Amino acid sequence: MVWRERITVKFMNEPQYDLLIAAKLGLGEWQVESVLALAGEDNTVHFIARYRKERTGNLDENQIRDIIEQKKHLINLYTAQISALKNIEEQGKLTEELRLRLEMATTLTEVDDLYAPYRRKRKTKADIAREKGFEVVAQQIRNQESLNIPASLLENFTEEEILQGGMDIVSQDIADNPDLKDQVRQNYLRHGVISSAYKNPDKFDDKQQKEAHKFKIYGDFNASFGKLKSYQILALNRGENLGILKVKLEHDEDFYSHFRDRLVFREENSERLGKCIREGYLKLYYAIEREMRNALTERAQVDAVNAFQRNLKELLMLKPHYGESVLAIDPGYRTGCKVCVLDKGGQPLHFTKFFLDNQTGALDLMENLIADFKSEVIVIGNGTGSGEVFDLLSANTDHKLVLVNESGASVYSVSEAGQEEFPELDATDRGTISIGRRYIDCLSELVKVPVISIGVGMYQHDMNQKELENKLSEVVEDVVNLVGINLNTASVYLLAYVSGLNRRSASKIFENRPYNSREDLLAVLTPKAYEQSVGFLRVPESDNFFDHTAIHPEQYEVARFIIDHQNEENIFNNHREIMEGLYHGITTEVVRDILQNFRNAGREIRQFEGNLKLQSSYKVEDLREGDIVEGIVRNITQFGAFVDIGLKSEGLIHISQLANRFIKDPHEVVTVGEALRVKVIEIDRERGRVSLSLKEVG
């Protein structure tokens, strides 16, 4: 389509964000308006969700984040629309129809399609042909008219050059037409097939040959666009990036035939026009292929991040074990098994090591340590040598043996956090401390580890690292603020995740310990930081009982009144006027929350065990198909669950083996940290892999 009418632009008004977001998310406009107003006043997501329910209609953290994200998206869309309108107007090419279409666009893709022909930095063959005056010939080809090349053109150019220039214009117009582009897009969205094959396997280098077996099922693979699983998309991307796979969107020749027939309406000049259509269509096809591959990757990454978030939350919510003295072991062969004794609060008391090839010396050492430090539980990292350590100790001690996931411990040991916490220790000792502390309090320890190193996701290193880290940090924040943090015992790293705090304010809190009440924080924090954080901090040493709870200091007066009348059936209706005078934001939901927080004071909400209490140790050669073994779910992906059964590598329960019914998501059946009895159904001894099943397990 060619537009000729030029207009003077009157730029569109900024959208009514509240209205658009409310319609998109199915919320009341007043709820959206309140959330955006509160966020604009520097209130955190968690503070708004917990302490401003009366203004949001009880929206949770995720709903509040969705509102804020939608506002950012709409601002980006509006900015893109204005930018396109301004730039096209400056080129003198803005028509009324184009202006209206840009203003009515509801996605960045629509804006991009409309704007694409006007933001090219380099001239195309079509641009050069137009400058030479070949448009008149292009019009004849487009309309399938008899060719009549003006004599003035033939004086300066050859007939062949003129015809080719006219064809270049027509093919470029087809490629630039947003309606035609959307036709191609919609066809491939509905019927597109993604295929893959090995790329020059005879020319694989050593690294590619070593990795190629991982992509065996994708060596001859195809699937429709809509049915591709996220893990398949990410695997295809990785194989392509490694140069092992060639991935493409298959041509739909039937669709192309229909596409061509709609643009050719008679025989005259049909062959020449057909060539233009083919060239223009191929430009559209390759553009749509890139767009669809990007869309697939984006979809897969969103799913992967969601799975990672869910797994991480379940892991962080594992039950703590304060009050037990721990003897932590980081197993190893060549450099020995590192040992750290921790007190009941997780502070290191003693370090040593033993070697597995000196079992008598190892047992004497362990016996002396247990006697000297009264250690109650032996915590073993699940790395190399863990089975041998278990075999040695289980045969010679009645102490409780626990296997913990050590993913990320080595990363922490050399990290800035590890060096700041224990500057006088070497990396191996820091790693052993981390293993022991994961049993004592998984949340407090894992906040020090880079989230992508924790090992509860898939293809995390292939994703946008900044986006992944932001999303996973949201999960840590959610759990920290849900659980509530002891002001006098929490590390700087844990405090930094509390609503309203950052690393600087957390350090300031840490340096000014101890605190006898929440009120003491007023001398350390700004009024805003105090307001946003204090409700999520606990001071068990305080004489004020409410300082032990999730009740905010601004609610203390009304809380005292509510507690005094807690046995009444309808506190809110009976005393509404009095309570409104004590706390302006009082509602029935706030009354319910205050009572619940009062009754749950001091209660640990993390009750899920996630450590493998070993009864026996396994090696791959010991297992037989049909064996029933115990294990702990360590990671859940879209295609199944990985279970730690005490082997070097975790066993996989494929999604088809999780239940005797169809399930769409493994989370319907299992949870990270869950203890399971599983059946061994297949063993790959060469690669040390075990396939497991939950079916037919009593």
Side-chain angles (χ1 to χ4, degrees):
M1 185 179 297
V2 179
W3 292 294
R4 298 185 180 282
E5 177 194 359
R6 181 184 174 187
I7 65 162
T8 300
V9 67
K10 180 181 178 181
F11 295 124
M12 59 189 291
N13 295 323
E14 193 162 3
Q16 293 180 282
Y17 296 119
D18 298 350
L19 193 62
L20 292 172
I21 296 169
K24 172 77 173 179
L25 300 180
L27 299 172
E29 190 177 347
W30 67 273
Q31 291 176 295
V32 175
E33 185 178 350
S34 292
V35 167
L36 294 177
L38 287 164
E41 295 165 3
D42 293 328
N43 293 293
T44 69
V45 167
H46 297 93
F47 180 81
I48 296 169
R50 178 78 66 87
Y51 299 115
R52 293 297 180 262
K53 292 183 177 182
E54 74 282 359
R55 290 183 59 180
T56 69
N58 298 318
L59 298 181
D60 64 26
E61 289 88 351
N62 289 328
Q63 289 173 305
I64 292 167
R65 287 192 184 109
D66 285 344
I67 290 172
I68 295 169
E69 285 300 314
Q70 280 295 315
K71 173 76 177 288
K72 291 178 182 176
H73 168 75
L74 289 172
I75 288 174
N76 289 340
L77 175 62
Y78 175 67
T79 301
Q81 289 170 304
I82 292 298
S83 177
L85 288 164
K86 283 183 177 179
N87 288 334
I88 299 172
E89 164 66 8
E90 288 172 1
Q91 295 176 37
K93 298 177 180 178
L94 187 63
T95 65
E96 180 67 19
E97 182 179 357
L98 179 54
R99 180 185 70 80
L100 289 173
R101 294 189 69 172
L102 278 167
E103 290 186 357
M104 295 297 290
T106 57
T107 67
L108 287 169
T109 298
E110 289 180 70
V111 175
D112 189 65
D113 285 352
L114 292 164
Y115 185 30
Y118 305 96
R119 66 177 177 195
R120 282 192 286 265
K121 295 181 179 179
R122 293 188 300 175
K123 290 182 179 180
T124 64
K125 292 179 181 179
D127 294 330
I128 295 170
R130 280 196 171 92
E131 290 175 357
K132 292 178 178 179
F134 298 166
E135 176 67 48
V136 62
V137 177
Q139 192 67 21
Q140 293 170 7
I141 296 171
R142 187 183 294 113
N143 296 334
Q144 292 185 258
E145 300 170 353
S146 297
L147 287 176
N148 183 15
I149 301 174
S152 59
L153 291 179
L154 290 170
E155 289 176 3
N156 298 299
F157 308 101
T158 66
E159 181 176 342
E160 182 181 359
E161 184 181 1
I162 295 168
L163 289 175
Q164 184 59 54
M167 292 173 67
D168 289 339
I169 293 172
V170 174
S171 63
Q172 189 64 57
D173 283 349
I174 291 170
D176 287 344
N177 189 308
D179 296 320
L180 294 178
K181 185 175 185 178
D182 196 54
Q183 287 179 26
V184 177
R185 176 186 293 116
Q186 295 305 320
N187 172 74
Y188 282 105
L189 284 174
R190 288 191 297 267
H191 308 296
V193 172
I194 299 291
S195 67
S196 66
Y198 280 128
K199 180 181 180 181
N200 301 323
D202 296 336
K203 298 182 180 180
F204 283 169
D205 59 26
D206 291 343
K207 181 180 178 181
Q208 290 170 327
Q209 288 186 10
K210 187 177 179 180
E211 297 286 324
H213 71 89
K214 298 178 182 179
F215 303 95
K216 184 177 180 181
I217 62 173
Y218 301 107
D220 182 16
F221 174 85
N222 65 76
S224 64
F225 179 83
K227 292 185 178 180
L228 269 171
K229 304 294 185 185
S230 295
Y231 67 88
Q232 294 173 325
I233 297 164
L234 295 173
L236 289 170
N237 288 352
R238 178 176 288 183
E240 187 176 44
N241 291 335
L242 290 171
I244 293 172
L245 297 177
K246 180 176 177 59
V247 184
K248 66 178 181 178
L249 174 67
E250 290 289 340
H251 278 285
D252 186 342
E253 290 296 336
D254 289 338
F255 169 74
Y256 171 70
S257 295
H258 294 301
F259 181 89
R260 180 186 183 281
D261 291 345
R262 285 195 294 269
L263 297 176
V264 177
F265 48 91
R266 58 169 173 257
E267 283 300 317
E268 190 169 358
N269 252 334
S270 61
E271 183 178 351
R272 186 170 282 111
L273 177 58
K275 290 180 180 179
C276 298
I277 294 170
R278 182 70 179 180
E279 184 177 345
Y281 168 81
L282 286 176
K283 291 178 181 178
L284 290 173
Y285 161 78
Y286 289 120
I288 295 301
E289 181 182 37
R290 288 191 299 272
E291 181 183 303
M292 289 181 64
R293 291 288 308 279
N294 289 337
L296 283 172
T297 298
E298 185 176 342
R299 187 185 87 195
Q301 291 191 351
V302 167
D303 288 346
V305 168
N306 289 341
F308 207 144
Q309 285 182 302
R310 189 166 180 175
N311 291 344
L312 181 61
K313 183 172 184 178
E314 291 169 355
L315 180 62
L316 296 178
M317 287 296 290
L318 296 181
K319 181 180 178 180
H321 297 87
Y322 285 105
E324 296 182 53
S325 53
V326 168
L327 196 157
I329 302 175
D330 181 7
Y333 293 123
R334 185 177 59 83
T335 58
C337 299
K338 280 70 69 179
V339 180
C340 175
V341 179
L342 299 170
D343 67 17
K344 295 183 179 183
Q347 293 304 310
L349 302 175
H350 182 74
F351 298 95
T352 186
K353 68 165 62 175
F354 64 82
F355 291 85
L356 287 167
D357 58 4
N358 181 7
Q359 296 194 0
T360 301
L363 291 172
D364 288 343
L365 175 65
M366 299 301 289
E367 183 179 347
N368 291 333
L369 290 174
I370 291 170
D372 291 345
F373 294 99
K374 306 295 186 293
S375 299
E376 299 167 85
V377 58
I378 299 174
V379 176
I380 306 169
N382 67 339
T384 303
S386 57
E388 288 83 348
V389 172
F390 170 81
D391 290 338
L392 175 64
L393 297 180
S394 62
N396 295 279
T397 180
D398 294 329
H399 266 64
K400 181 166 69 173
L401 304 178
V402 174
L403 194 71
V404 301
N405 187 356
E406 63 177 44
S407 294
S410 60
V411 176
Y412 160 76
S413 71
V414 296
S415 69
E416 182 180 344
Q419 292 173 30
E420 284 182 359
E421 193 169 14
F422 300 108
E424 75 285 358
L425 299 179
D426 66 22
T428 56
D429 289 337
R430 295 187 200 117
T432 310
I433 294 171
S434 182
I435 288 171
R437 285 180 167 183
R438 290 173 188 218
Y439 173 75
I440 296 173
D441 190 337
C442 193
L443 171 62
S444 294
E445 193 59 27
L446 289 184
V447 294
K448 307 170 193 174
V449 179
V451 283
I452 62 172
S453 300
I454 293 175
V456 287
M458 62 175 184
Y459 297 104
Q460 55 261 42
H461 297 291
D462 296 343
M463 290 185 271
N464 182 310
Q465 295 301 292
K466 184 176 180 180
E467 178 70 13
L468 177 62
E469 189 169 344
N470 288 341
K471 290 295 184 182
L472 295 181
S473 292
E474 288 177 2
V475 175
V476 181
E477 290 168 6
D478 288 350
V479 174
V480 166
N481 291 289
L482 175 65
V483 169
I485 300 304
N486 187 321
L487 185 59
N488 284 320
T489 62
S491 68
V492 170
Y493 315 100
L494 194 60
L495 287 168
Y497 282 103
V498 172
S499 164
L501 301 182
N502 53 33
R503 183 64 185 276
R504 184 177 179 181
S505 53
S507 297
K508 197 172 179 181
I509 290 173
F510 189 85
E511 292 163 2
N512 284 276
R513 284 175 173 171
Y515 299 92
N516 296 315
S517 68
R518 281 174 167 171
E519 192 174 357
D520 291 348
L521 277 173
L522 287 168
V524 178
L525 298 175
T526 65
K528 190 66 176 182
Y530 176 83
E531 175 196 48
Q532 300 293 303
S533 65
V534 68
F536 304 97
L537 297 167
R538 310 284 184 267
V539 189
E541 298 81 4
S542 175
D543 293 333
N544 187 334
F545 179 81
F546 293 139
D547 284 357
H548 309 194
T549 73
I551 299 170
H552 197 283
E554 66 183 13
Q555 300 171 330
Y556 281 6
E557 281 192 76
V558 74
R560 291 188 185 94
F561 184 89
I562 291 169
I563 303 309
D564 289 343
H565 296 79
Q566 62 180 302
N567 295 323
E568 295 184 20
E569 285 189 12
N570 199 331
I571 305 173
F572 183 74
N573 287 339
N574 292 345
H575 306 286
R576 180 170 182 171
E577 188 173 338
I578 295 173
M579 289 192 294
E580 284 178 344
L582 297 173
Y583 179 62
H584 64 87
I586 197 71
T587 64
T588 54
E589 288 78 14
V590 172
V591 171
R592 190 183 306 118
D593 280 351
I594 288 174
L595 284 171
Q596 183 179 3
N597 290 331
F598 173 75
R599 291 162 184 167
N600 289 340
R603 176 175 170 264
E604 176 56 67
I605 64 173
R606 295 171 290 168
Q607 292 297 320
F608 203 66
E609 290 283 1
N611 300 302
L612 182 57
K613 294 177 176 62
L614 290 168
Q615 303 299 321
S616 58
S617 174
Y618 301 105
K619 297 182 178 65
V620 172
E621 52 266 27
D622 298 331
L623 293 174
R624 297 290 181 271
E625 291 182 9
D627 284 351
I628 305 296
V629 297
E630 295 183 347
I632 293 286
V633 178
R634 295 297 187 198
N635 192 12
I636 299 175
T637 67
Q638 198 176 45
F639 55 83
F642 289 93
V643 180
D644 186 349
I645 60 173
L647 294 173
K648 181 178 179 180
S649 299
E650 294 160 352
L652 172 65
I653 310 177
H654 189 267
I655 189 171
S656 62
Q657 293 295 325
L658 282 169
N660 290 307
R661 56 183 174 84
F662 172 79
I663 59 169
K664 187 175 181 181
D665 182 354
H667 282 98
E668 296 174 33
V669 179
V670 292
T671 304
V672 169
E674 183 175 358
L676 301 175
R677 297 179 71 247
V678 292
K679 182 177 182 179
V680 178
I681 59 173
E682 187 178 342
I683 304 169
D684 183 342
R685 300 188 192 281
E686 183 179 345
R687 293 159 68 184
R689 295 184 177 180
V690 178
S691 297
L692 306 170
S693 175
L694 272 181
K695 296 179 178 180
E696 301 176 11
V697 178

